[in-house]
Amino acid sequence: ETGVTQSPTHLIKTRGQQVTLRCSSQSGHNTVSWYQQALGQGPQFIFQYYREEENGRGNFPPRFSGLQFPNYSSELNVNALELDDSALYLCASRATSGRYRSSYEQYFGPGTRLTVT
Amino acid sequence: GQNIDQPTEMTATEGAIVQINCTYQTSGFNGLFWYQQHAGEAPTFLSYNVLDGLEEKGRFSSFLSRSKGYSYLLLKELQMKDSASYLCAVRDLGSGGYQKVTFGTGTKLQVIP
């Protein structure tokens, strides 16, 4: 158990719909990263939030957006779903002191399996 | 950008030793991780190297050579439960100064009796 939780566990959506995935960080962790993992691939970095601000983004289009709340929980929103968005979505949290100093270990949640039909 | 290479699949025998290699190219290197991921589960942290040399933790060891952009994960006394994917991940400073972790595609290890 990492102390990071995600909801829902599984989700089925139709192409064109919108989806919101949620992540609760481990206590005391102020930095959360979101990853997309397609079957048989490594996790791909989507974006990262530190103290409610996005401070890093991977090669994902703007229809992937996020939020981090004062309690450091986080949401990933995906608009206009496409079939290729079907994947496991992972969030990971860690503690960062100051903008650039970060603990080395990040803890992953169990993931949300999204299927787009 | 980053380029992380590791073998796609490996097979090893229970009780043996296996070495999984990872090469990377990046700027602003700030550490290399190894994660284990069982099918259908989230990655779990195995090791972290930021300086050259070998880090040992029980049956698992990880080595780093920053000048060569090279790391390996060594698994000793293999057990059937070690069958999983092993992910090499590199942390560096992205644009804007934030720290970003980039994963390789993973090496699927099958341990056979």
Side-chain angles (χ1 to χ4, degrees):
Chain A
E1 291 294 329
T2 64
V4 181
T5 60
Q6 292 185 244
S7 62
T9 305
H10 296 86
L11 198 55
I12 299 175
K13 288 286 191 178
T14 303
R15 190 171 51 185
Q17 286 187 314
Q18 179 267 342
V19 68
T20 297
L21 310 181
R22 295 179 174 83
C23 172
S24 291
S25 304
Q26 187 181 99
S27 178
H29 283 187
N30 53 17
T31 302
V32 65
S33 301
W34 283 91
Y35 295 86
Q36 179 196 66
Q37 187 174 25
L39 202 61
Q41 300 296 315
Q44 298 296 308
F45 176 73
I46 302 174
F47 46 55
Q48 174 176 287
Y49 279 82
Y50 168 70
R51 291 188 174 179
E52 304 176 57
E53 289 187 7
E54 183 183 299
N55 73 341
R57 191 175 184 92
N59 295 325
F60 281 81
R63 61 189 184 85
F64 286 77
S65 63
L67 283 173
Q68 188 182 30
F69 300 99
N71 66 355
Y72 303 136
S73 65
S74 175
E75 286 183 355
L76 164 65
N77 299 289
V78 188
N79 295 322
L81 282 167
E82 300 177 0
L83 297 179
D84 285 348
D85 296 334
S86 295
L88 180 68
Y89 288 85
L90 297 162
C91 77
S93 74
R94 68 180 185 273
T96 299
S97 58
R99 186 171 179 84
Y100 305 122
R101 289 183 59 81
S102 178
S103 69
Y104 63 81
E105 186 170 349
Q106 61 181 356
Y107 298 86
F108 282 88
T112 295
R113 173 73 61 187
L114 172 65
T115 301
V116 182
T117 62
Chain B
Q2 286 191 347
N3 192 23
I4 301 173
D5 289 314
Q6 52 182 130
T8 304
E9 294 181 347
M10 298 182 72
T11 301
T13 306
E14 189 177 14
I17 299 173
V18 71
Q19 177 174 313
I20 303 174
N21 296 323
C22 172
T23 58
Y24 64 89
Q25 293 175 308
T26 186
S27 56
F29 176 83
N30 195 24
L32 186 143
F33 302 81
W34 284 95
Y35 284 83
Q36 179 191 61
Q37 187 176 28
H38 285 100
E41 299 181 9
T44 56
F45 171 83
L46 290 178
S47 69
Y48 171 73
N49 296 70
V50 66
L51 300 175
D52 290 351
L54 187 68
E55 295 282 341
E56 297 185 82
K57 188 188 293 186
R59 294 189 299 115
F60 292 16
S61 302
S62 57
F63 171 83
L64 175 68
S65 169
R66 290 172 296 171
S67 62
K68 295 182 180 178
Y70 168 69
S71 173
Y72 67 72
L73 179 69
L74 194 70
L75 291 76
K76 304 176 185 175
E77 301 170 14
L78 279 172
Q79 302 175 9
M80 298 301 290
K81 68 178 182 179
D82 297 330
S83 293
S85 285
Y86 290 86
L87 300 164
C88 173
V90 173
R91 184 167 76 174
D92 66 0
L93 290 177
S95 59
Y98 72 92
Q99 298 198 14
K100 174 169 70 73
V101 177
T102 302
F103 285 80
T105 55
T107 298
K108 188 174 181 180
L109 174 66
Q110 183 182 15
V111 180
I112 58 177

